[in-house]
Amino acid sequence: MKTTSLVCLFLLLLNSQFTIAQTTVDDPEIKKMISEVKSENMEATVRKLVTFGTRHTLSDTKSNTRGIGAAQRWVKSEFDKYALESNGRLTSKIDFFTIKADGRRIAADTQLGNVMATLKGTDATDDRVLIISGHLDSRASDVMDSKIDAPGANDDASGVAAMMELARIMSKREFPFTLIFVAVVGEEQGLYGAKHLADVAKEGKWNVVAMINNDMIGNSLSSGTLLRDNTQVRVFSETIPYLETEAESKMRKSTNRDNDSPSRQLARYIKTVTNQYVEQLDINLVYRNDRFLRGGDHTPFSQNGFTAIRFCEMNENYNHQHQDVRKENSVQFGDLPEFMDFEYMKKVTCSNLATFSNLAWSPKTPTNVGIEVKDLTNFSTLLWTAPAGKPVYGYNILIRETASSHWEKTIFVKDIKAEIPYSKDNFFFAVQSVDEFGHSSLAVFPVPIR
Ligand SMILES: [Zn+2]
């Protein structure tokens, strides 16, 4: 269901302790940013990246016209253009690191580099970080062939173009905490660039609120089955967190929260925000970390204990993925721009932007979120502690039936405790902080309070 009204506020006084309301507040600034997303910009980025011939991780780094080095320097130069309008808050770098020969897809020790732009926050006391990525490297049929053309228009110039469009638009605005826009390398050789950044974040004890990976978001036609769908995009999220302590595992089992990992809360958040801000695009929540037996750049972040998801088109086209550019029986193979759907890619980028900016302006999550279990009752009582930092306008209590994939009902409260007429035996709940513009934090699943 779409809500287009600026403010819908239905107040219902349930008892003297708190107010129930269903609020949907569209932030005009987010709507304005969404209106600035241009498919022409992203098409130009994709076509430019394709001109480097190949962006294979092990390709030429010296040439200024062909190979991964030229592509890295071009992305950095674009970041530097955006920086001019950021009041000195956007800075860029190529974060070089060395990967040892792995006997698999890295033949010899190789220097790799992620191209990063960091938008500094305006609140020095807010240590939160958001990361959005696409992968710059490409490949052809033979994953070790670093010489042959590998245009990589969809895989993954599309993700890089979306990330750059967000950097361009968001760097003109102020956000309280740090936003990182990154084109990682080494994805096709084994997720090396993302792993490097995930390790830097872990070692530096970064407070990463969310990591969003865009990998293949520009194709809307499936090969073989010929399904055409430009109204859905998949969001992959881990089921049981990769990193889980024994105590967390025990808590998960006792509260049946197998479907409520922080990454899954992020996925549901994306669905809600996309419904609110993006027309004709539904988030298809896929309840697995990635495609069957596969992984992506969000995976090393999940493995390091961070909240991370992947955007990926609904339908994949294997004629145009990991294929040498060639014609066979008059069928064109290869990952070329001519097969892309730039209007679809624009909608997915808008979904990214709505998510990223809502999170970037959100208050911190409520802490100590609990649910009372001392009495047998058909009401449920939730309580929590207000977060530090930016003032909170109120809280959303999110409700869904146990078999439902996404939140079905929202109850808005001003207090830090609420008794709701829904039994904890029949529903799942979570709580998120909200500011007066409707920016909401990620949802927190409650633990029992005895
Ligand atoms: Zn990819």
Side-chain angles (χ1 to χ4, degrees), residues 207 223 449:
N207 181 11
S223 52
I449 299 174

Side-chain angles (χ1 to χ4, degrees), residues 96 100 109 202 215 248 302-303 355 432:
F96 288 108
K100 297 251 173 255
D109 294 5
K202 189 178 184 183
D215 194 350
E248 285 164 347
S302 298
Q303 288 166 337
T355 302
Q432 57 185 178

Side-chain angles (χ1 to χ4, degrees), residues 135 155-156 187-188 215-216:
H135 70 83
D155 188 9
D156 181 32
E187 197 272 350
E188 304 290 6
D215 194 350
M216 297 195 297

Side-chain angles (χ1 to χ4, degrees), residues 355-367:
T355 302
F356 217 59
S357 53
N358 262 294
L359 275 175
W361 276 319
S362 70
K364 290 181 181 170
T365 52
T367 56

